[in-house]
Amino acid sequence: MHIFLFDLDGVLLNSAGYHRSLVETVRQLSLTLGFGDRGLTQAEIDAFESCDITAEWDSSALCAALLLIDAWAAGDDVSLPVGLPLGPARPERHAFPDVLGFLAEFDGRVRADPLPEAESILRRRLGRQDGDRVERVVSLLRDARRLEGSLTFRLVQLFNLGSRRFEEIYGEAAGIASPSFLETYDLPTLPEDERSKLFHALSREGQAAAIVTNRPSTSPGSLFNTPEAEIGVRAAGFEQLPRVAAGDLGWPALKMGRDVQTFLKPSPVHLLAGLRTALGDDRAAAVEMAIRLAQGSPTEPAWRELEGSRIALFEDAPKGHVSARAA
């Protein structure tokens, strides 16, 4: 067998939508806190991703923390709004934070979750600030991946999904009218004729492929998630390939009492499940098999189908390569 595994964002999809959502989220916060009409530059976004901070929920929360810390250092006792709409912009009073300088303090190791290290760096920057301010910054990071209590998550998801779909999925008023940036700005990296050639090649005997993405997706169980992987796969023109996304991996992790991101890249489970789905296994069964193998269970006979296979991974982030090597 020759098996091709494709990441989605930055590989099959020019995922400008996520970046546009991040830029607009940071711009709204910058206006609100008195830093002027300034979002993130592409160089700053690239620097986040080089530190393996690839989720816009995380990077937007870190930007919010840097804005607050710099404002406090300048004697401006500001706070983030509790909800949406944000209200009128404040007059520009501060220089935008040195995002690149902050990211240069990371030690460069790939890890499953970079936020604990980010929290340590921010705590050092806060120094002897009073406990309430420290708690506000720490809460920004610890709540960064859930709607309740996180303004940055709410803004990112609002711009990702658009206000209409946001209200349908979350059952709450959006507070800001916006189109879906994922549907508006995400474009396929391969033109239609190139996709046709690829699908023709993959139809030959001995060829198989799957998409492995950390994007949120609908979940097979009761875990709530949003259909961002489905939106992206459709925009890329790759709906005919099987995929393993966050919803597929989060539900079994939750059942085991683990964090929902436990089995996402850089975990070997993600790529192992991708291999099984490429071979035609049901997604849920593939994930369960991958978990058993990664946790040291005796090798099941089905894995012998891969003996002698060649596996090609197309991936733009370090965590994907870590996952593949471990798998």
Side-chain angles (χ1 to χ4, degrees):
M1 293 293 296
H2 196 170
I3 302 172
F4 299 88
L5 298 178
F6 298 98
D7 184 29
L8 182 58
D9 294 294
V11 177
L12 299 179
L13 192 66
N14 181 357
S15 49
Y18 277 128
H19 287 177
R20 289 291 291 261
S21 294
L22 173 60
V23 169
E24 183 60 20
T25 294
V26 174
R27 190 180 79 87
Q28 293 287 341
L29 297 176
S30 181
L31 287 167
T32 300
L33 295 175
F35 287 82
D37 190 357
R38 167 73 149 84
L40 289 182
T41 66
Q42 189 59 50
E44 289 165 340
I45 293 172
D46 292 342
F48 270 113
E49 296 192 349
S50 73
C51 292
D52 230 30
I53 303 171
T54 57
E56 286 71 23
W57 311 321
D58 296 345
S59 46
S60 61
L62 287 169
C63 287
L66 291 173
L67 289 166
L68 287 175
I69 290 171
D70 279 15
W72 294 337
D76 191 358
D77 188 21
V78 294
S79 299
L80 286 177
V82 174
L84 301 176
L86 295 172
R90 297 178 76 220
E92 184 173 348
R93 301 178 61 182
H94 311 297
F96 196 80
D98 180 7
V99 174
L100 297 179
F102 165 72
L103 294 171
E105 296 183 44
F106 280 73
D107 67 8
R109 290 179 297 161
V110 175
R111 55 185 55 74
D113 186 356
L115 287 191
E117 182 181 2
E119 181 181 324
S120 297
I121 297 170
L122 291 172
R123 282 180 179 274
R124 289 200 299 270
R125 291 194 167 204
L126 281 163
R128 301 192 178 191
Q129 296 271 3
D130 66 67
D132 175 66
R133 286 181 173 177
V134 173
E135 180 56 33
R136 277 192 273 168
V137 167
V138 169
S139 295
L140 274 174
L141 273 56
R142 293 182 180 173
D143 293 337
R145 298 167 184 170
R146 62 189 190 92
L147 186 70
E148 297 78 14
S150 175
L151 178 66
T152 50
F153 183 98
R154 183 176 292 270
L155 281 166
V156 167
Q157 287 300 88
L158 170 61
F159 295 129
N160 281 342
L161 300 169
S163 48
R164 179 187 59 80
R165 186 177 267 138
F166 178 93
E167 291 179 350
E168 289 175 355
I169 291 173
Y170 290 105
E172 297 185 18
I176 297 176
S178 175
S180 165
F181 285 10
L182 298 185
E183 292 182 338
T184 304
Y185 298 111
D186 283 0
L187 298 172
T189 55
L190 293 180
E192 187 174 351
D193 62 328
E194 294 285 349
R195 294 198 301 272
S196 296
K197 291 176 186 177
L198 176 59
F199 294 142
H200 178 70
L202 293 174
S203 69
R204 298 172 188 154
E205 186 177 356
Q207 311 288 317
I211 294 170
V212 285
T213 174
N214 277 9
R215 269 198 181 203
S217 65
T218 52
S219 175
S222 61
L223 175 67
F224 173 80
N225 225 324
T226 51
E228 295 167 43
E230 291 89 331
I231 294 171
V233 169
R234 183 167 61 251
F238 275 79
E239 291 173 282
Q240 68 189 72
L241 289 191
R243 52 98 181 143
V244 180
D248 307 303
L249 296 156
W251 171 238
L254 190 66
K255 287 194 297 182
M256 297 169 66
R258 311 280 290 278
D259 184 273
V260 294
Q261 300 200 47
T262 298
F263 299 130
L264 293 175
K265 296 180 281 187
S267 166
V269 170
H270 202 158
L271 271 290
L272 290 170
L275 291 173
R276 296 306 319 174
T277 57
L279 294 175
D281 288 3
D282 170 80
R283 271 202 303 267
V287 171
E288 296 293 343
M289 279 188 66
I291 291 171
R292 288 195 295 271
L293 182 62
Q295 292 185 335
S297 296
T299 305
E300 299 171 55
W303 288 108
R304 297 198 182 104
E305 298 175 61
L306 289 165
E307 189 171 355
S309 295
R310 297 180 63 212
I311 297 164
L313 171 68
F314 296 82
E315 168 68 66
D316 70 335
K319 63 181 68 175
H321 296 282
V322 172
S323 177
R325 292 180 185 278

